[in-house]
């Protein structure tokens, strides 16, 4: 039921209207004759506080506010992949056709193109019983993605008619006989973005999301369906890290939300992704990506809508049985929008002016991730992994957004400005970062990679922690005061940092490392360490050990192509033994 009121107050993106007695919380409204889009976020009697998702300059009191009677919803159907939307799911390419390069206010364009025909192939036949979540047909959305047309949740009945051929998304492809009469199904459905999509069962996070980034896969893995945070100061590499995860993570679909970040970062995504070739399919990366761009010069309030729209689209593809990775860059900008709206609503402020409900809003967003069995009779397994960047001012993670995020997520990739200034990328600090998924993933690594994986990882972590303690001693008494064993430990830690953890995002081979190659790299570094320890006990000089030519070959192993790793690993392993034996023999002579 629609309701029309009048504006009585305007405060930036907040508009207060009277006479909205028939409206409900979170209804979408149209503000003024310009028909700006907004959402009711507070109700007092017939007074509604509206969060306007467009620029409110020029509005005046007395202008009409009309409720549509529906909550903010996303259109879900063929055509999402490869699209770039603004925060309220308006396709930017269609807006450009209507109003040129400058975003005009009040533009109304459908989220999914109504003039495009899609080839629909039915999966059910007349007389079949279907229920919410069942697949009634498929559409080849791109060369990579087969879009599965689902029965909307809450709908069930017998198939009376099913069509085959080319249809627009709003044309009827199936007619169901339900308890309430016939229901026409088309190829898209609407879903309220603030409400999580239902599922049958949530599964435990016991399978890793392989990313090809060594510091992530080896030291701080994220599970499929897991949640991770990347906090870091300006310039420490949050966006590049998220781009790398979007390019290489073992996910079928990528949803990338530019939530309040600078426009040039989204431009990078737009320029790079169509040119990047997906290693698994040989096709463009854009053929499995949805982009939502709500950059820093777009309306502040729409940051909240962009986050919810993005995760709703991600849940929809998870319902089809796909593994989806969602990148939110950055949730701090969303929190700043919440702080601004809370201030304008004159709510009691929490820590540093953020609203008291900041933690619960973040939790509601992150808890929509997970590996689940979808609704429907056959129940498909799908996963939604959420990776949120956090931009704490000055890199201070004691601020409220970082702390609220850390209480929710299970993986913390702490970016370090000092590492970034040293040109060590990804600048994930191995002393402050952690992953709480390691124990639950250990069986998977044992069964699918090697039983050595977890012990080798533990040794890496111990050596890096020991190095931090030894560095403090070196500062006080100098390197020469260390025993040969401790000096060798420092050399091994340097090899782990420079040869393993340091990874070049723009190098054609080093940008992605398979788990098998990562295992080889760990073994080479630790084999050298173990054999060098034996050489030290037999009298070999630590200086000469650190200068052996094989050390450079260990360091350059990361540039070896995947197809040559087996032979190169055997060759370097033999050289380690040969050179150290020669050094021991020469020392004894």
């Amino acid at each position: 039921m629609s309701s029309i009121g009048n504006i009585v107050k305007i405060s930036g993106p907040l508009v207060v209207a009277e006479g909205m007695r028939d409206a409900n919380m979170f209804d979408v409204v149209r503000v003024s004759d310009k028909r700006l889009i907004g959402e009711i976020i507070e109700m007092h009697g017939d007074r509604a506080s509206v969060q306007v998702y467009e620029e409110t300059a020029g509005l005046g009191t007395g202008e009409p506010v009309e409720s549509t009677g529906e909550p903010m919803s996303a259109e879900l159907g063929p055509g999402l992949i490869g699209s770039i939307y603004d925060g309220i799911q308006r396709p930017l390419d269609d807006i450009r056709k209507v109003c040129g390069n400058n975003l005009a206010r009040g533009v109304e364009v459908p989220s999914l193109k109504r003039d495009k025909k899609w080839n629909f192939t039915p999966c059910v036949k007349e007389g079949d019983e279907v229920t919410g979540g069942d697949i009634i047909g498929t559409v080849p959305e791109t060369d990579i993605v087969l879009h599965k047309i689902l029965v909307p949740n809450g709908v069930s009945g017998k198939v009376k008619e099913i069509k085959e051929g080319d249809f627009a998304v709003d044309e009827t492809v199936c007619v169901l006989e339900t308890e309430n009469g016939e229901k026409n199904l088309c190829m898209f459905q609407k879903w309220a973005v603030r409400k999580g999509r239902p599922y049958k069962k949530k599964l435990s996070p016991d399978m890793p999301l392989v990313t090809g980034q060594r510091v992530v896969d080896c030291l701080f893995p994220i599970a499929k369906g897991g949640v991770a945070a990347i906090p870091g100061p300006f310039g420490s590499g949050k966006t590049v890290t998220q781009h790398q995860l979007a390019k290489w993570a073992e996910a079928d679909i990528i949803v990338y939300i530019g939530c309040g970040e600078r426009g040039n970062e989204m431009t990078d995504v737009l320029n790079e992704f169509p040119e990047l070739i997906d290693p698994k399919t040989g096709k463009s990366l854009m053929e499995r990506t949805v982009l939502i761009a709500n950059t820093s010069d777009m309306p502040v309030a729409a940051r909240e809508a962009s986050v919810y729209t993005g995760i709703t689209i991600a849940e929809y593809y998870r319902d089809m049985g796909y593994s989806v990775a969602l990148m939110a860059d950055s949730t701090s900008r969303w929190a700043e929008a919440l702080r601004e709206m809370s201030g304008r609503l004159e709510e009691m402020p929490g820590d540093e002016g953020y609203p008291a409900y900041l933690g619960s809003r973040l939790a509601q967003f992150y808890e929509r991730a997970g590996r689940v069995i979808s609704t429907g009779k056959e129940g498909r397994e799908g996963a939604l992994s959420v990776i949120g960047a956090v931009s704490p001012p000055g890199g201070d993670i004691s601020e409220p957004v970082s702390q609220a995020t850390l209480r929710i997520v299970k993986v913390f990739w702490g970016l370090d400005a000092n590492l970034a200034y040293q040109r060590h990328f990804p600048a994930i600090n191995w002393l402050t970062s952690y992953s709480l998924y390691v124990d639950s993933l250990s069986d998977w690594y044992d069964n699918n990679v090697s039983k050595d994986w977890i012990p080798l990882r533990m040794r890496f972590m111990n050596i890096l922690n020991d190095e931090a303690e030894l560095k403090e001693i070196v500062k006080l008494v100098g390197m020469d005061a260390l025993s040969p064993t401790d000096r060798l430990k420092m050399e091994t830690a340097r090899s782990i940092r420079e040869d393993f953890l340091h990874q070049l995002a723009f190098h054609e081979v080093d940008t992605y490392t398979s788990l098998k190659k990562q295992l080889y790299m760990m073994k080479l570094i630790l084999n050298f360490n173990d054999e060098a320890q034996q050489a030290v006990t037999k009298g070999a000089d630590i200086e000469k050990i650190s200068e052996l030519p094989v050390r450079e070959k260990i360091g350059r192993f990361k540039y070896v192509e995947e197809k040559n790793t087996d032979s190169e690993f055997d060759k370097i392993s033999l050289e380690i033994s040969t050179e150290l034996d020669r050094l021991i023999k020469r020392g004894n002579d």
Side-chain angles (χ1 to χ4, degrees):
M1 186 186 294
S2 66
S3 175
I4 299 178
N6 298 306
I7 296 175
V8 293
K9 175 185 172 184
I10 303 161
S11 173
L14 176 70
V15 165
V16 179
E18 283 186 344
M20 305 289 288
R21 191 170 299 280
D22 294 329
N24 297 307
M25 276 287 285
F26 300 125
D27 273 3
V28 173
V29 298
R30 293 288 179 176
V31 178
S32 85
D33 297 328
K34 297 184 179 69
R35 294 189 62 76
L36 308 184
I37 193 164
E39 185 182 22
I40 295 174
I41 55 172
E42 196 173 84
M43 290 286 294
H44 291 289
D46 69 341
R47 280 174 74 101
S49 297
V50 176
Q51 179 170 251
V52 183
Y53 292 135
E54 300 183 74
E55 179 58 55
T56 57
L59 294 187
T61 55
E63 293 194 52
V65 174
E66 181 183 356
S67 166
T68 62
E70 294 180 350
M72 174 74 69
S73 300
E75 288 189 355
L76 306 171
L80 290 169
I81 299 290
S83 298
I84 175 165
Y85 294 109
D86 71 354
I88 44 181
Q89 213 204 353
R90 295 182 303 181
L92 294 178
D93 57 340
D94 287 348
I95 292 177
R96 187 182 181 189
K97 289 172 191 170
V98 174
C99 57
N101 287 341
N102 295 320
L103 278 173
R105 296 189 292 172
V107 176
E108 294 185 49
V109 288
S111 302
L112 298 174
K113 292 175 174 54
R114 300 295 194 259
D115 55 353
K116 184 168 183 178
K117 299 281 187 181
W118 299 93
N119 184 255
F120 176 80
T121 305
C123 295
V124 294
K125 58 187 186 297
E126 291 178 12
D128 285 355
E129 292 281 348
V130 293
T131 185
D134 283 349
I135 299 169
I136 57 167
T138 59
V139 169
E141 189 169 5
T142 68
D143 289 344
I144 300 172
V145 178
L146 185 68
H147 195 107
K148 297 162 187 174
I149 307 300
L150 307 175
V151 178
N153 285 302
V155 175
S156 60
K158 185 185 286 188
V159 177
K160 181 182 179 185
E161 183 185 352
I162 186 91
K163 301 175 183 176
E164 183 173 3
D166 295 341
F167 302 95
V169 291
D170 56 348
E171 292 179 324
T172 300
V173 294
C174 179
V175 179
L176 289 188
E177 287 180 348
T178 70
E179 292 176 354
N180 303 319
E182 290 186 359
K183 183 166 182 65
N184 296 333
L185 300 183
C186 59
M187 285 193 283
F188 85 99
Q189 54 183 275
K190 286 191 170 186
W191 189 264
V193 296
R194 289 178 181 269
K195 181 179 163 192
R197 287 177 65 84
Y199 48 82
K200 263 186 192 171
K201 181 185 176 187
K202 205 162 200 172
L203 303 173
S204 62
D206 53 15
M207 184 188 299
L209 179 70
V210 178
T211 65
Q213 310 308 300
R214 295 187 289 269
V215 65
V216 172
D217 291 342
C218 174
L219 298 189
F220 312 111
I222 176 175
K224 268 190 181 174
V227 288
I230 316 179
F234 172 80
S236 59
K238 293 186 296 297
T239 302
V240 173
T241 304
Q242 284 203 315
H243 285 197
Q244 281 295 95
L245 296 172
K247 291 173 197 174
W248 300 111
E250 214 172 60
D252 303 310
I253 310 288
I254 301 294
V255 179
Y256 195 100
I257 307 170
C259 175
E261 287 301 295
R262 295 180 301 285
N264 60 332
E265 293 177 351
M266 287 309 295
T267 306
D268 283 347
V269 176
L270 270 176
N271 290 337
E272 277 184 30
F273 278 30
E275 294 175 9
L276 283 167
I277 300 302
D278 187 339
K280 292 188 282 291
T281 61
K283 303 286 184 181
S284 164
L285 202 61
M286 262 324 266
E287 293 197 15
R288 60 182 181 94
T289 303
V290 183
L291 296 179
I292 295 174
N294 195 75
T295 56
S296 51
D297 58 343
M298 288 179 170
V300 170
R303 293 174 187 174
E304 183 167 32
S306 66
V307 166
Y308 286 122
T309 300
I311 200 156
T312 302
I313 292 171
E315 285 178 323
Y316 175 62
Y317 279 101
R318 178 181 68 181
D319 288 351
M320 295 181 201
Y322 289 121
S323 171
V324 187
L326 180 137
M327 314 291 161
D329 188 12
S330 99
T331 53
S332 290
R333 305 283 175 256
W334 167 33
E336 286 163 11
L338 287 176
R339 178 167 62 181
E340 179 174 341
M341 292 307 300
S342 176
R344 292 185 187 279
L345 288 166
E346 299 175 8
E347 294 173 339
M348 184 69 75
D351 198 7
E352 290 188 24
Y354 287 100
Y357 48 77
L358 171 68
S360 65
R361 285 286 176 88
L362 288 170
Q364 285 166 13
F365 168 69
Y366 281 110
E367 75 181 3
R368 288 171 72 170
R371 192 161 67 95
V372 304
I373 301 294
S374 68
T375 56
K377 287 198 291 287
E378 74 273 26
R380 300 161 296 280
E381 182 184 312
L384 167 53
S385 313
V386 175
I387 296 151
V390 184
S391 311
D396 176 18
I397 63 164
S398 65
E399 56 89 42
V401 183
S402 301
Q403 288 302 307
T405 305
L406 290 184
R407 283 194 287 271
I408 301 159
V409 300
K410 299 288 184 68
V411 178
F412 170 70
W413 296 318
L415 295 176
D416 191 319
N418 292 328
L419 286 174
Y421 292 141
Q422 293 166 23
R423 320 310 297 164
H424 177 106
F425 290 108
I428 294 174
N429 188 316
W430 47 88
L431 298 175
T432 57
S433 303
Y434 61 81
S435 169
L436 302 181
Y437 292 120
V438 175
D439 290 343
S440 59
L441 298 176
S442 58
D443 287 345
W444 188 92
Y445 283 117
D446 286 351
N447 298 328
N448 294 276
V449 186
S450 167
K451 292 194 182 296
D452 295 333
W453 182 276
I454 296 297
L456 291 173
R457 176 197 174 273
M458 287 299 297
R459 287 192 63 191
F460 262 33
M461 292 300 295
N462 291 337
I463 290 169
L464 290 169
N465 286 324
D466 290 347
E467 183 203 27
E469 294 175 12
L470 291 170
K471 273 184 175 175
E472 297 299 319
I473 297 169
V474 169
K475 282 179 188 173
L476 293 172
V477 295
M479 183 68 85
D480 294 337
L482 294 181
S483 67
T485 303
D486 284 342
R487 287 184 65 183
L488 182 59
K489 193 175 281 185
M490 293 283 281
E491 284 295 321
T492 303
R494 185 164 72 89
S495 182
I496 292 171
R497 286 188 286 106
E498 295 178 3
D499 303 337
F500 187 85
L501 298 182
H502 182 267
Q503 190 166 359
L504 295 172
F506 300 104
H507 188 282
E508 58 182 2
V509 175
D510 197 32
T511 185
Y512 176 87
T513 309
S514 68
L515 294 183
K516 178 184 172 186
K517 186 175 172 183
Q518 290 183 43
L519 181 71
Y520 282 164
M521 291 175 76
M522 288 194 280
K523 282 184 173 179
L524 285 176
I525 292 168
L526 292 174
N527 286 353
F528 181 86
N529 174 74
D530 295 343
E531 294 194 30
Q533 289 280 16
Q534 292 175 11
V536 166
T537 58
K538 292 175 182 175
D541 182 33
I542 184 65
E543 294 286 349
K544 289 179 179 173
I545 288 175
S546 60
E547 292 168 3
L548 287 174
V550 75
R551 291 207 64 204
E552 186 181 346
K553 291 187 178 178
I554 294 171
R556 299 195 67 78
F557 185 76
K558 60 185 174 184
Y559 304 124
V560 174
E561 291 187 17
E562 295 282 345
K563 61 185 179 187
N564 301 326
T565 52
D566 289 343
S567 58
E568 196 67 20
F569 173 75
D570 294 338
K571 184 177 162 190
I572 295 173
S573 298
L574 184 62
E575 284 185 39
I576 290 171
S577 302
T578 307
E579 289 190 14
L580 284 167
D581 287 345
R582 194 181 301 142
L583 191 66
I584 294 165
K585 199 174 287 182
R586 196 181 305 151
N588 291 338
D589 291 345

